[in-house]
Amino acid sequence: MSSVEYFVDCPTGTVEHYFADDTFHWSDEMFRIHGYERGEVVPSLDLGMAHIEPADRDAAGAFWDHVSTNKGPASVYASIRDLKGRVHKVLIHADTIIGDGEPVGVWGLVVDLTQSIHVDRHQLANEAVAASALSRSVIEQAKGILMGRAGLNATEAFEHISQYSQRTNRKVVVISQEIIDRAHQLTRQEQHQPRTHALLDLFRAL
């Protein structure tokens, strides 16, 4: 089993934060790791930090400052206490989102290691970072397709993917890969209608 397959099957949440409007977008898995369902709370930095155990907050704060000031990717281990008081051991890996050569936000992956804590942490960290890079690439490709073909901006594209993920109860990275695969399939097929129209018909279903 590849590292990507391994982490796709684990409790793994994604988050995107955009500096311009200070918005945070959590995947459904991210809400559940913290003990919520989508719509119960509005994601924010303060909310996320409040769930991190006090002993880990300084490290988590330094990690966030590092990534959000465009100093490259970083990872941190932390303990998160969910809404029901259960403690989750998580690995958080994040990197800066670059737009037109400038940092515009932060993208992160949160892997719940609680059930796999007996596995070598170094191995898990390496696999999580690899999975994060590949997942980020897949999600960014899918967002790019939506932006190019449906005239959406980056935030709107991620919202479409996230909402479709919620409606179909499938992970964001799985939906993103499906968008890429179906878009490639449509462009290879002989269509009676223009290819762009065929792609837009696909995206309207999201």
Side-chain angles (χ1 to χ4, degrees):
M1 180 179 295
S2 72
S3 59
V4 174
E5 291 170 333
Y6 176 77
F7 278 99
V8 164
D9 291 337
C10 284
T12 305
T14 57
V15 56
E16 287 199 358
H17 169 60
Y18 291 93
F19 302 145
D21 53 7
D22 196 30
T23 56
F24 285 77
H25 303 281
W26 284 8
S27 67
D28 290 343
E29 295 83 2
M30 188 73 168
F31 280 102
R32 291 175 188 138
I33 288 173
H34 288 79
Y36 303 103
E37 292 296 328
R38 183 178 293 278
E40 293 182 341
V41 293
V42 177
S44 68
L45 180 59
D46 288 342
L47 177 65
M49 291 298 291
H51 279 276
I52 294 176
E53 292 286 84
D56 294 334
R57 285 178 189 163
D58 286 346
F63 158 81
W64 179 260
D65 290 342
H66 176 93
V67 177
S68 61
T69 54
N70 193 26
K71 294 180 181 176
S75 300
V76 66
Y77 289 107
S79 295
I80 289 177
R81 188 174 295 273
D82 69 19
L83 190 62
K84 295 182 178 179
R86 297 169 298 195
V87 175
H88 302 255
K89 302 293 185 179
V90 301
L91 172 67
I92 308 171
H93 179 76
D95 198 357
T96 311
I97 301 172
I98 303 297
D100 296 326
E102 297 293 332
V104 297
V106 172
W107 184 94
L109 181 80
V110 177
V111 183
D112 189 342
L113 305 177
T114 308
Q115 300 301 318
S116 304
I117 206 67
H118 62 282
V119 180
D120 179 71
R121 279 193 170 193
H122 181 70
Q123 175 188 346
L124 284 173
N126 288 339
E127 290 180 348
V129 170
S132 173
L134 290 175
S135 296
R136 166 78 182 277
S137 175
V138 169
I139 293 170
E140 289 299 314
Q141 285 183 61
K143 285 169 56 180
I145 291 171
L146 291 178
M147 292 166 66
R149 298 291 186 171
L152 305 176
N153 61 35
T155 301
E156 292 168 339
F158 186 78
E159 279 295 308
H160 275 272
I161 296 170
S162 180
Q163 289 168 9
Y164 191 61
S165 168
Q166 180 185 6
R167 292 201 303 272
T168 60
N169 196 29
R170 288 180 293 161
K171 294 181 182 295
V172 168
V173 68
V174 174
I175 298 300
S176 298
Q177 186 61 60
E178 182 175 307
I179 291 172
I180 295 168
D181 292 343
R182 292 178 66 185
H184 287 172
Q185 183 181 19
L186 284 172
T187 57
R188 289 195 302 266
Q189 290 175 347
E190 291 293 330
Q191 300 284 343
H192 294 297
Q193 58 182 324
R195 289 176 177 175
T196 297
H197 290 169
L199 286 167
L200 289 175
D201 287 343
L202 164 65
F203 303 142
R204 290 190 187 103
L206 294 179

